[in-house]
Amino acid sequence: MSMRIALVAGEASGDLLGARLISALKQHLPDAQFFGIGGPQMESEGFEAWFSSERLAVNGFADALRRLPELLKIRRNVIARVKQEKAHLFIGIDAPDFNLGLEKRLKRAGLPTVHYVSPSIWAWRGGRAKKIRKAADLVLCLFPCEPELYAKYAMPAQFVGHPLADEFPLAIDRNLVREHLRLPLAAPIVTLMPGSRNGEVTKLATTFVQAAMQIAQRKPGVRFLVPLITRETRKLFEAARYQELGNQTEPEIQLMVGHSHEAMAAADVVLLASGTAALEAALLKRPMVVAYRIANWSYRLLRRMMYLPYVSLPNILCREFVVPELIQDDCTPEKLADAVCRWLDDTEARQKLEARFLSLHQELKQNNAQRAADAILGLLKGIPR
């Protein structure tokens, strides 16, 4: 009898992870059947999608609350169909708010469960790890520091590498990238990345523009690149730029549609909002300054819940402050400009950081999809067909 594997992936990133995992598993289980919730990437690998992964996407707490009855109905439907299909294994890919509850119920019914992409237990105290232990038989981790945290709670967890580390080359020719973008080879370039969400850009755009003005006063000839993903975030940043600069042409701020990786690779320093972009900048071996600002009450609550002194992934993974973090009240134009200029002035510090990031990249580059498939195959060996 062929293996029947149920998967639930949330959003586009989960769909891509799921597609790569299915492809790797099919090399060892060519007759396996895959079904559940996924997107077009997973479907291209022969996955049977009962619902689209887009159905799990929510935009903030209010949207999640409004759609809660729909999401609970989908979860009940998936539980019933997984049991009806007599699946041998369930794999929840990211989407912890949806998948952990689903996994818990399936595990109680006797089905082996895997959670692929550990939630950020390194950022919060141990309660979440206990919750995951009740839901999953195995957690697949993207970061090497995570399995040891699960070990404290007797939770099987395995490091499988990070997919971005497989995608990014170990070395990048910055001059070649600048030539491709038609940028001067010798000019100092700072890339500004105020976030991918409207709320982030709203909170940071004006501060970033003001910081750029101060950097330009200290560093004549500096150019700024601003890659923005959506039309809405571009409008928000343009409004902030016009409010601060009007029709002035200096400092030279070039807005880009997408091309964030190229914009980071071309830069001497990246000033960015805390998030996945910080990991991408590290994999591109770029010095950076990490900024973030949220509502004061949210910040006070999060500070009480966190047990690490860092918030950005490069510092968390290196386990020390290798890049400056300017959060909340410290996120001012003056402090941001100071931090960026320190990187621009210190060639030796930039070179040391680039070497550290190369070592980190090599540690994360593990052929992620195959490592994840190997871990799942190991679990499947003990499951009768």
Side-chain angles (χ1 to χ4, degrees), residues 294-312:
I294 57 177
N296 283 329
W297 67 269
S298 296
Y299 178 72
R300 288 194 296 270
L301 177 64
L302 292 176
R303 290 305 299 176
R304 284 198 296 269
M305 294 172 64
M306 293 176 67
Y307 72 89
L308 289 178
Y310 337 105
V311 300
S312 68

Side-chain angles (χ1 to χ4, degrees), residues 98-110:
F98 185 89
N99 273 328
L100 289 177
L102 179 54
E103 291 161 21
K104 184 177 180 180
R105 287 161 178 77
L106 291 173
K107 185 178 180 180
R108 281 179 179 172

Side-chain angles (χ1 to χ4, degrees), residues 203-372:
K203 288 182 174 67
L204 291 175
T206 297
T207 302
F208 275 27
V209 172
Q210 292 173 347
M213 294 167 65
Q214 295 193 27
I215 295 166
Q217 290 174 359
R218 304 184 208 179
K219 301 290 179 184
V222 66
R223 298 183 62 161
F224 298 91
L225 305 179
V226 189
L228 296 161
I229 298 175
T230 67
R231 185 177 300 175
E232 290 77 13
T233 54
R234 182 184 177 94
K235 286 181 178 178
L236 289 168
F237 193 90
E238 284 181 328
R241 184 196 178 284
Y242 184 78
Q243 180 180 346
E244 297 301 318
L245 299 176
N247 293 320
Q248 291 179 221
T249 58
E250 296 293 337
E252 188 169 347
I253 299 177
Q254 178 180 337
L255 273 62
M256 306 169 66
V257 179
H259 301 287
S260 60
H261 295 161
E262 292 92 333
M264 285 191 281
D268 293 289
V269 182
V270 182
L271 171 58
L272 50 77
S274 181
T276 303
L279 177 61
E280 294 172 339
L283 294 173
L284 291 165
K285 324 301 181 298
R286 293 295 85 214
M288 73 189 82
V289 176
V290 179
Y292 213 66
R293 188 182 291 136
I294 57 177
N296 283 329
W297 67 269
S298 296
Y299 178 72
R300 288 194 296 270
L301 177 64
L302 292 176
R303 290 305 299 176
R304 284 198 296 269
M305 294 172 64
M306 293 176 67
Y307 72 89
L308 289 178
Y310 337 105
V311 300
S312 68
L313 280 170
N315 291 337
I316 290 167
L317 295 173
C318 292
R319 304 190 185 199
E320 64 175 303
F321 282 103
V322 295
V323 299
E325 297 177 355
L326 297 169
I327 311 298
Q328 212 62 9
D329 294 339
D330 287 329
C331 184
T332 65
E334 295 79 10
K335 290 184 177 181
L336 296 177
D338 287 344
V340 169
C341 288
R342 277 195 294 271
W343 281 127
L344 292 173
D345 291 336
D346 196 335
T347 302
E348 183 179 354
R350 294 201 307 271
Q351 291 173 345
K352 287 182 178 179
L353 184 68
E354 289 167 16
R356 186 69 182 273
F357 282 163
L358 175 59
S359 177
L360 175 62
H361 192 163
Q362 291 168 329
E363 185 178 20
L364 296 177
K365 188 179 178 67
Q366 298 288 330
N367 193 358
N368 162 262
Q370 189 56 58
R371 285 283 296 269

Side-chain angles (χ1 to χ4, degrees), residues 114-188:
V114 176
H115 192 78
Y116 183 19
V117 182
S118 168
S120 305
I121 63 165
W122 32 261
W124 315 109
R125 300 192 186 276
R128 201 170 198 187
K130 296 177 184 177
K131 179 181 178 182
I132 296 167
R133 184 177 62 183
K134 295 178 181 178
D137 294 293
L138 175 66
V139 179
L140 302 181
C141 304
L142 304 188
F143 300 120
C145 60
E146 293 173 323
E148 65 188 68
L149 299 175
Y150 283 104
K152 297 177 182 178
Y153 302 93
M155 173 75 224
Q158 193 164 329
F159 169 55
V160 296
H162 201 290
L164 284 177
D166 294 329
E167 292 179 19
F168 283 54
L170 290 174
I172 292 178
D173 187 332
R174 186 175 53 178
N175 286 343
L176 193 62
V177 177
R178 288 192 177 192
E179 287 176 359
H180 175 71
L181 295 177
R182 298 182 180 179
L183 297 169
L185 299 183

